[in-house]
Amino acid sequence: NAGVMQNPRHLVRRRGQEARLRCSPMKGHSHVYWYRQLPEEGLKFMVYLQKENIIDESGMPKERFSAEFPKEGPSILRIQQVVRGDSAAYFCASSPPGPGYEQYFGPGTRLTVT
Amino acid sequence: KQEVTQIPAALSVPEGENLVLNCSFTDSAIYNLQWFRQDPGKGLTSLLLIQSSQREQTSGRLNASLDKSSGRSTLYIAASQPGDSATYLCAVGDQAGTALIFGKGTTLSVSS
């Protein structure tokens, strides 16, 4: 059973470009979470999605960031018009349906904005 | 607002020593608590999950305890090995059981 997959593993964007980060959950998991780890800071929750639904986006910046989890295909975290402060490691986690299950993390995408 | 604190921030021990990592949280109304390991430049590996109704969980040389009333959890590592060197993260599941709130971690170095 493959774990949570994220791609790309490393992404370099110039200021003003768009970044698209993809996450494929573990087989049988229908819940996806995105977290961001800024340098010298802890991981911060961004958004929680189920298929075709955003359940909790309380951690998402109000502008430039969006997330989706379509019926088919991976979950996408999209950052428009990236700025240097967006440079971070972005982690995706997945869990089975229902609250309180163990979350399994992917290897992360390291975004560098130049 | 829930806050999670891990002390110490860094710890160095010789191989073979037993050690305890501490995690405290400000709001006792949690759903669960999860301990992770993170190696440099890598993702997170889940070590142990404790539900709010449980007091402890064990896996191999690891034992995690939870005291909700005092807002504390400890991760006990027995007979430490150089391969245990990593950053250990504590994360609390919020009341809805969805978002995890993380501490900043304890970076452990075990010397041979």
Side-chain angles (χ1 to χ4, degrees), chain A:
Chain A
N1 186 11
V4 177
M5 301 181 63
Q6 290 187 249
N7 65 80
R9 297 289 305 276
H10 299 274
L11 182 62
V12 179
R13 285 285 178 268
R14 291 200 190 98
R15 278 180 297 170
Q17 291 184 320
E18 178 180 288
R20 281 187 179 235
L21 288 62
R22 284 177 287 279
C23 169
S24 297
M26 286 178 71
K27 189 176 179 182
H29 289 189
S30 58
H31 292 205
V32 165
Y33 314 79
W34 286 93
Y35 295 84
R36 175 165 68 171
Q37 187 173 38
L38 290 163
E40 307 305 321
E41 293 192 22
L43 279 97
K44 305 286 187 195
F45 167 76
M46 299 180 75
V47 62
Y48 162 44
L49 309 104
Q50 297 174 21
K51 288 277 187 184
E52 300 184 283
N53 277 306
I54 296 175
I55 306 303
D56 179 358
E57 56 182 348
S58 58
M60 285 277 269
K62 296 288 182 239
E63 297 178 354
R64 303 187 297 108
F65 285 72
S66 62
E68 63 176 7
F69 189 13
K71 190 175 177 182
E72 302 289 338
S75 174
I76 307 282
L77 178 68
R78 182 179 176 211
I79 311 172
Q80 294 179 288
Q81 299 175 323
V82 295
V83 301
R84 287 228 171 96
D86 297 331
S87 295
Y90 292 82
F91 291 97
C92 165
S94 73
S95 75
Y101 280 97
E102 193 167 357
Q103 293 186 21
Y104 294 86
F105 280 71
T109 293
R110 277 146 186 88
L111 172 66
T112 302
V113 179
T114 61

Side-chain angles (χ1 to χ4, degrees), chain B residues 23-46:
Chain B
C23 171
S24 61
F25 45 95
T26 53
D27 186 346
S28 62
I30 65 169
Y31 209 95
N32 55 27
L33 186 144
Q34 209 166 338
W35 281 94
F36 295 89
R37 168 188 173 134
Q38 185 176 26
D39 292 283
K42 305 284 188 189
L44 279 69
T45 301
S46 179

Side-chain angles (χ1 to χ4, degrees), chain B residues 44-80:
Chain B
L44 279 69
T45 301
S46 179
L47 298 174
L48 290 163
L49 170 71
I50 311 177
Q51 300 294 350
S52 61
S53 58
Q54 296 175 319
R55 295 294 296 239
E56 65 178 338
Q57 284 285 352
T58 298
S59 175
R61 294 183 294 108
L62 305 179
N63 175 277
S65 68
L66 174 63
D67 184 344
K68 261 182 53 174
S69 60
S70 67
R72 287 200 203 158
S73 175
T74 60
L75 179 67
Y76 175 81
I77 303 176
S80 58

